[in-house]
Amino acid sequence: MNARNIVVAAAVVVVLALLVFASSAYTVKETEWVVLTEFGKPVEGSEKTGPGLHFKTPFIQKVNRIEKRILPWDGDPNRIPTRDKKYIFVDTFARWSVVRPLAFFTSLEGRIQNGHKKLDDIIDSVVRDVVGQYNLIEVVRSSNRELAYESEELAAEMRARAEKIEVGRTKIVAEIRKKATSLLKQDFGIAILDVRIKRVNYVESVRKSVYQRMVSERERIATRYRSEAQEQRDIILGETNRQLALIRGEGEEESAAVRGQADAEAIRIYGDAIAKTSDFYRFLRTLEA
């Protein structure tokens, strides 16, 4: 064997060694799980591999990576009837993560998309079951704290019609998370970290009636304000007219007194003038006659 053949053989050996090394070495990030499969079957214990450089059986075992970080889930609004027969749309969202990668890989093929689909089925059904057990006020509010209203009349009316909250939205959400978590963690290797109700809204038909009732309440309040304003207007106008009549009467009385005094003074002056010029006055009377 000549030197050229030796070099070629060494190069082939090196290439094969690099291929074997490349096929057997793999890295694991801190943000992912890794499940090794051998002829399609998961290898027990491979999901416990920590971050760093690791080795596997070349050409036989395959590396399957699964997201380890917290993942968002946002469901579609569900049309749900409450216990008091009010139809509402409930929009929920959740945060979840894979906690048992081997179970997640076995049940859902290790795909995050499949995890989202499973969450769609389970969380939506749990939300429907739990919300349907309570009245609407329990889903909307978390305490019996009195709300602020535009007027005392409306506040008194709403206070009289108020329903007492026994459970509240916070406990309902906790119940939803507890039930959904138990179902998911048991079968699919998933843990739900948080579930929240993002929005609660009436269906279109009920929403229109609610808006109309709100408009009617505001119109009734506006009518009361207008009647109170009209009453105050009448009181002010009546008092103004009374003061005006009083002032006019006093003015007329004072005017009559001044005219009387002036007439008396004129008569006195006229009398004095006649007394002083009686001959001239008789002469004028004679001419007039």
Side-chain angles (χ1 to χ4, degrees):
M1 179 180 296
N2 55 30
R4 181 179 179 183
N5 292 334
I6 294 174
V7 172
V8 172
V12 171
V13 171
V14 171
V15 171
L16 291 176
L18 290 175
L19 289 175
V20 171
F21 178 81
S23 179
S24 61
Y26 67 96
T27 58
V28 180
K29 298 179 181 179
E30 294 183 355
T31 59
E32 63 184 7
W33 299 101
V34 167
V35 176
L36 296 180
T37 54
E38 191 171 300
F39 300 111
K41 296 182 179 180
V43 177
E44 292 288 342
S46 61
E47 74 279 4
K48 299 178 181 179
T49 303
L53 180 64
H54 301 277
F55 296 92
K56 61 182 180 63
T57 304
F59 308 111
I60 296 177
Q61 294 181 337
K62 179 183 177 182
V63 177
N64 301 275
R65 304 179 186 275
I66 301 173
E67 183 62 57
K68 192 176 183 179
R69 292 172 291 187
I70 297 176
L71 300 169
W73 175 86
D74 195 355
D76 296 327
N78 285 329
R79 186 174 184 266
I80 302 174
T82 59
R83 189 174 65 179
D84 48 355
K85 307 302 179 184
K86 295 178 181 178
Y87 285 89
I88 58 175
F89 283 110
V90 180
D91 192 358
T92 56
F93 73 93
R95 296 294 181 266
W96 65 286
S97 65
V98 178
V99 294
R100 293 193 298 121
L102 191 59
F104 182 74
F105 182 84
T106 303
S107 58
L108 299 174
E109 301 178 357
R111 297 181 179 179
I112 300 300
Q113 295 85 349
N114 293 343
H116 280 290
K117 292 179 181 179
K118 185 56 64 177
L119 287 172
D120 289 340
D121 297 336
I122 293 183
I123 294 183
D124 285 347
S125 63
V126 170
V127 170
R128 184 178 298 276
D129 292 341
V130 174
V131 171
Q133 299 174 8
Y134 299 97
N135 293 338
L136 174 63
I137 190 65
E138 301 280 359
V139 182
V140 174
R141 301 192 61 192
S142 297
S143 68
N144 290 301
R145 179 178 59 86
E146 187 172 343
L147 301 177
Y149 296 95
E150 293 87 345
S151 66
E152 184 59 33
E153 179 186 2
L154 183 59
E157 180 180 347
M158 298 305 295
R159 195 181 300 119
R161 297 190 317 183
E163 302 178 49
K164 186 177 180 181
I165 298 174
E166 299 178 356
V167 178
R169 180 166 174 168
T170 301
K171 293 182 179 179
I172 291 176
V173 170
E175 183 178 350
I176 292 172
R177 185 171 72 87
K178 182 178 179 181
K179 288 186 176 181
T181 299
S182 63
L183 293 175
L184 290 170
K185 189 173 182 180
Q186 179 181 357
D187 298 327
F188 307 103
I190 294 176
I192 296 181
L193 306 178
D194 194 15
V195 176
R196 296 295 176 91
I197 295 178
K198 181 168 60 176
R199 184 182 298 107
V200 176
N201 203 354
Y202 287 109
V203 297
E204 184 65 25
S205 57
V206 179
R207 195 182 310 152
K208 290 181 179 178
S209 63
V210 171
Y211 292 161
Q212 184 60 43
R213 187 181 66 184
M214 293 172 64
V215 171
S216 300
E217 290 176 349
R218 270 61 183 180
E219 288 179 348
R220 180 164 52 83
I221 294 173
T223 301
R224 183 176 65 84
Y225 285 160
R226 283 193 292 268
S227 63
E228 291 178 354
Q230 183 67 32
E231 181 182 358
Q232 292 297 320
R233 173 181 173 273
D234 294 340
I235 292 174
I236 293 172
L237 286 177
E239 180 65 19
T240 302
N241 291 332
R242 188 183 70 82
Q243 293 290 339
L244 182 61
L246 180 62
I247 293 171
R248 184 180 291 113
E250 293 176 350
E252 290 178 354
E253 181 181 357
E254 185 176 354
S255 174
V258 171
R259 282 197 300 268
Q261 293 176 359
D263 291 341
E265 183 67 17
I267 293 173
R268 185 185 65 79
I269 295 172
Y270 190 62
D272 292 343
I274 292 175
K276 292 179 180 180
T277 58
S278 58
D279 294 337
F280 181 71
Y281 177 72
R282 282 194 297 271
F283 175 70
L284 289 179
R285 295 291 295 176
T286 302
L287 290 178
E288 291 176 358

